[in-house]
Structure formats: C-alpha cells, structure tokens
Amino acid sequence: MQNAVFNITERTEKGKKVRMKGEVPAIMYGQSLEKPIPCQITKRELIDLLGSKSSVLSLKLNDKVENCVLKEVQRDAFGNIVHLDFQYVKKGDTIKLRVPIRFSGAESLDARKLLLDDVITEVQLQGNPSEMPEHIEVNVEGLEHGAQILAKDLVIPETLKMDLDPETVVARIGSLKTSSIEVEDDNNDEETAE
C-alpha cells in the first residue's frame, strides 16, 4: 500500500505569524539537505499526519515528495502543537528515532491485584527508517508478581539497534496489596506523631 502524501509549504514568515494564520510552523533538516528548510502545515493536514501509522512520512514540498521522519513535536503549556521538526531521509540513511513501548494485557493484572510499573515508556532505535516500528508491543498478561521486563526482552527488527543496555529494567510487576499496606503504615505513623 502506498503511503499517504502530506502537503507542506515553504515559509518566509516567523513562526508566531504562521500560528496566527491557523497553521503550524515546522523545519525540515537532514544530512542530504544543503540547509534546513522552514515550512508550515495546515491543522487539517497535521491531524491526518499525526494519525499516520508509518514511521516514514511522505511530505510534498514545492511539487516534490520528500521522505521524512517526525523527530520532534513541540507543544505549549496547554498541549497545543506549536512547532514540528522533520528529518529528511533518503534510501540508505541511518537514523535514530524514539519509539514508544505499549503494554498490553494490563487488565488481567488488575483482576489479580497486580500492578504494572512501567519504568521506561520509549526507547531510541537506530537503523533504516523504513524498518522503524510505530511502537513496540509488550504483552504482560501472564506475568506474575516480581516479574521484570528487560530491554533484551523487547522484540524489535534484527536490523535495528537499541541505544539501551540489554539488562535495563523496562517494567516490573508489583502487587496492589503491598502498595496499600505501605500507605496505611504511613498514615499510622502520622497519627502516632500527633
């Protein structure tokens, strides 16, 4: 299936002026570009772009389609997107990209009074942009109290490299009962102190 193409336009105005017109300022940069290209995108196009399942985006700029990855989304204090950074990539390029970890099966833990403590929620992967996953899926359904998920347990394409020690703890399974007892103990200490 062909990737969707998203339209962006080159900009000459400052980001503030672009935002006042209801568009979002952005920058496109990369090793293969002579210099970074200031650009802008409509909010409608941005919504479609953020909903894309692909890690490599096709952006149409000046009647030419460029392959890019979305490197950074800057937001204001209210959570509104105020700026985007796109990294231009060509075939054979190697990039670094932060990829979120999604934990599935947590509902089964709740039923058994267990708690998922997700220590790390995203990892940086290095490699071919076309092989970057949208996210890394981790199923925690059958895990028991005390179980740990390490970086080496994450399933990623063999051609990609993870910038994380394999023994790093990504998540652990705790007990809800333990947590509530500790809270009760803390409350008892306060009452005694009074």
Side-chain angles (χ1 to χ4, degrees):
M1 194 171 100
Q2 189 67 31
N3 279 356
V5 176
F6 305 100
N7 294 301
I8 61 173
T9 53
E10 230 175 301
R11 69 179 161 94
T12 52
E13 299 170 319
K14 297 267 185 214
K16 189 175 180 181
K17 204 163 186 182
V18 170
R19 283 188 283 274
M20 283 171 67
K21 290 180 179 175
E23 295 197 11
V24 178
I27 191 93
M28 184 190 291
Y29 62 87
Q31 293 174 343
S32 311
L33 296 176
E34 285 179 32
K35 60 180 183 173
I37 303 169
C39 44
Q40 61 197 55
I41 186 169
T42 65
K43 287 192 176 168
R44 174 72 251 164
E45 204 77 6
L46 176 61
I47 290 166
D48 292 342
L49 182 142
L50 293 175
S52 170
K53 301 285 182 213
S54 175
S55 55
V56 179
L57 303 166
S58 299
L59 302 181
K60 188 174 183 182
L61 176 68
N62 300 332
D63 294 324
K64 193 177 169 195
V65 177
E66 311 283 8
N67 287 329
C68 296
V69 291
L70 181 57
K71 285 293 279 189
E72 188 177 357
V73 178
Q74 295 171 23
R75 297 177 186 268
D76 64 16
F78 304 103
N80 301 311
I81 296 173
V82 294
H83 196 275
L84 301 168
D85 287 14
F86 295 106
Q87 183 179 349
Y88 171 77
V89 290
K90 68 177 191 345
K91 199 171 181 147
D93 276 357
T94 295
I95 62 159
K96 286 185 176 185
L97 194 65
R98 298 198 75 76
V99 176
I101 301 170
R102 294 223 181 119
F103 298 95
S104 61
E107 315 79 40
S108 75
L109 297 177
D110 293 343
R112 293 182 287 142
K113 302 247 187 286
L114 295 175
L115 185 68
L116 171 68
D117 178 15
D118 51 346
V119 181
I120 295 173
T121 55
E122 62 176 22
V123 292
Q124 185 162 274
L125 299 179
Q126 185 175 344
N128 187 324
S130 63
E131 295 185 23
M132 290 286 175
E134 183 193 349
H135 64 271
I136 298 168
E137 187 83 21
V138 178
N139 189 336
V140 297
E141 192 172 355
L143 298 181
E144 298 297 333
H145 179 267
Q148 291 187 331
I149 298 155
L150 304 178
K152 66 181 177 187
D153 300 327
L154 301 177
V155 180
I156 61 168
E158 287 180 18
T159 53
L160 300 179
K161 197 171 99 183
M162 193 183 319
D163 291 355
L164 203 58
D165 184 288
E167 298 300 319
T168 302
V169 175
V170 173
R172 56 177 71 95
I173 307 300
S175 170
L176 283 171
K177 288 179 271 189
T178 311
S179 307
S180 60
I181 290 168
E182 286 169 5
V183 171
E184 285 171 20
D185 287 349
D186 289 346
N187 291 341
N188 289 340
D189 290 346
E190 284 173 20
E191 287 169 17
T192 321
E194 287 174 12

